[in-house]
Amino acid sequence: GWEADVRIDDGAGLVGRVDVLFPAARVVVEVDGYAYHARAAFQADRTKQNRLVAAGYTVLRFTWSDLTDRPDQVIRSIRRATTPTR
């Protein structure tokens, strides 16, 4: 139910590539690391996130520390976001 490194477009064209997409739930997971996020990349990520939200996606952001130190919490967050409410 998920795909990695997915290109997403909206009505204005390319939004960008996302780390992980759960297409059926319209949930995007992005992993942020300190090494990659210089000022320009930080700004580009916020612009991309705003366009994704405007296009109807839920965006979950996690740090590398979240993945390595708190994986159970990350999994719970993703499950909550991708599980339909009844």
Side-chain angles (χ1 to χ4, degrees):
W2 60 273
E3 302 170 33
D5 191 31
V6 178
R7 174 189 168 113
I8 295 185
D9 296 274
D10 65 7
L14 176 66
V15 173
R17 299 191 78 80
V18 299
D19 294 331
V20 177
L21 172 66
F22 291 83
R26 295 186 65 83
V27 171
V28 168
V29 175
E30 294 280 62
V31 178
D32 297 323
Y34 293 119
Y36 175 74
H37 285 86
R39 183 176 293 222
F42 181 85
Q43 180 60 56
D45 282 352
R46 291 340 170 254
T47 301
K48 178 172 75 169
Q49 179 169 330
N50 290 343
R51 285 182 66 190
L52 288 166
V53 170
Y57 290 91
T58 297
V59 179
L60 301 177
R61 301 193 83 87
F62 299 102
T63 64
W64 186 252
S65 292
D66 289 329
L67 297 179
T68 58
D69 299 338
R70 295 171 289 284
D72 293 339
Q73 183 179 359
V74 170
I75 291 168
R76 279 193 303 276
S77 295
I78 293 170
R79 282 192 178 140
R80 275 194 303 269
T82 58
T83 302
T85 57
R86 297 177 190 181

